[in-house]
Amino acid sequence: QVQLVESGGGLVQPGGSLRLSCTASGSIFSINAMGWYRQAPGKQRELVARVTTTGSTNYADSVKGRFTISRDNAKNTVYLQMNSLKPEDTAVYLCNAAVTVGASGSYGFWGRGTQVTVSS
């Protein structure tokens, strides 16, 4: 079993910054891509940013230039630095990781999410 635990969410004013963290633990042989998604009330879950094991990244157009994803492979942790936050960034942010679990193969795992609220 693999667990993903997010932290770092909260309430911030427009223009502010937050840094999210997500750490994977459990029966991990290796972690492939890791990413952050978000889901606002009444909206579909959307990809925010994704990073591969080699450090290649991709971002949603709405966050390019404001958010930065990074990872620490030694700590099985992915980060999301969010700057210049806007009210429309308000959502539950969920961590996702593609994890190889020994000989069982690779599976996608989700964290439970952390709330980010951008409001004055």
Side-chain angles (χ1 to χ4, degrees):
Q1 188 70 311
V2 174
Q3 297 81 38
L4 300 180
V5 179
E6 303 102 333
S7 62
L11 173 64
V12 64
Q13 292 186 342
S17 299
L18 284 174
R19 188 190 194 213
L20 305 183
S21 300
C22 170
T23 299
S25 62
S27 302
I28 298 170
F29 179 75
S30 64
I31 302 178
N32 306 309
M34 302 184 80
W36 289 95
Y37 290 70
R38 67 186 180 187
Q39 187 161 21
K43 294 188 177 181
Q44 289 189 332
R45 187 174 297 183
E46 63 173 353
L47 174 68
V48 176
R50 181 176 176 271
V51 58
T52 68
T53 51
T54 59
S56 296
T57 58
N58 61 286
Y59 296 89
D61 287 342
S62 60
V63 307
K64 284 180 180 177
R66 301 188 297 122
F67 291 10
T68 303
I69 190 170
S70 60
R71 64 189 285 173
D72 184 333
N73 292 330
K75 296 181 179 180
N76 290 339
T77 298
V78 63
Y79 305 97
L80 185 68
Q81 178 66 44
M82 305 186 295
N83 298 328
S84 301
L85 282 160
K86 304 175 181 180
E88 51 263 43
D89 294 318
T90 296
V92 175
Y93 283 70
L94 302 107
C95 176
N96 174 269
V99 179
T100 298
V101 183
S104 301
S106 181
Y107 303 90
F109 293 90
W110 291 92
R112 299 184 67 177
T114 185
Q115 176 70 44
V116 172
T117 302
V118 185
S119 175
S120 55

